[in-house]
Amino acid sequence: MKITLKKILFTGYAVLALLLAVFTAAGCAGKNAVKDGDYAVSVTGHNGPIELTVSFSTKKISAVTVTKESETDVLSDPALVDLPKKIVEANSLAVDSVSGATVTSSAVKYAVRQAIAQAGGNPADFEKPA
């Protein structure tokens, strides 16, 4: 059997391509790797506890629902209603906070981070803009 430079290069490229495919797949496997389900979280808002349920489906944030809160009416409404919708639409925490309701906005985002961790995911994977 004659070993030529061509055979050596071909084998080397084949091994390199296989290794690249394996490591690429392994790196992508952890991205947004959350378990489907509903996760209840309680965080401290401006006026007291805020309770939320965060749902995941097919590795995405499918719902963020505020179940209990004692924030200031009208002022905090955009942070409790609109912000969760934006997080779901973007499948990301990289959405703008609500001006005038910064503490409540931060609390909602923090709750979603906690839910991501509860679901076995890495919150940093959801910090990038969509």
Side-chain angles (χ1 to χ4, degrees):
M1 178 176 192
K2 187 175 178 185
I3 298 177
T4 65
L5 182 59
K6 192 174 184 179
K7 286 181 183 178
I8 293 171
L9 287 175
F10 178 76
T11 304
Y13 286 131
V15 169
L16 183 62
L18 180 63
L19 288 172
L20 183 63
V22 168
F23 286 115
T24 300
C28 292
K31 190 137 186 129
N32 292 357
V34 291
K35 296 176 193 151
D36 288 353
D38 301 326
Y39 298 86
V41 182
S42 181
V43 295
T44 302
H46 189 268
N47 296 338
I50 300 174
E51 295 177 8
L52 296 94
T53 300
V54 181
S55 303
F56 298 97
S57 178
T58 62
K59 296 185 181 182
K60 292 186 177 184
I61 303 168
S62 58
V64 177
T65 309
V66 177
T67 55
K68 186 177 179 184
E69 51 86 14
S70 57
E71 300 299 280
T72 306
D73 289 336
V74 181
L75 186 62
S76 65
D77 289 349
L80 297 172
V81 178
D82 298 337
L83 184 61
K85 287 179 188 175
K86 289 178 182 178
I87 290 170
V88 172
E89 288 170 4
N91 190 44
S92 174
L93 293 164
V95 295
D96 290 337
S97 295
V98 177
S99 179
T102 307
V103 174
T104 305
S105 295
S106 296
V108 169
K109 289 181 179 183
Y110 182 68
V112 176
R113 281 185 191 91
Q114 285 187 327
I116 292 166
Q118 283 181 19
N122 180 358
D125 290 342
F126 291 87
E127 295 284 347
K128 299 170 184 101

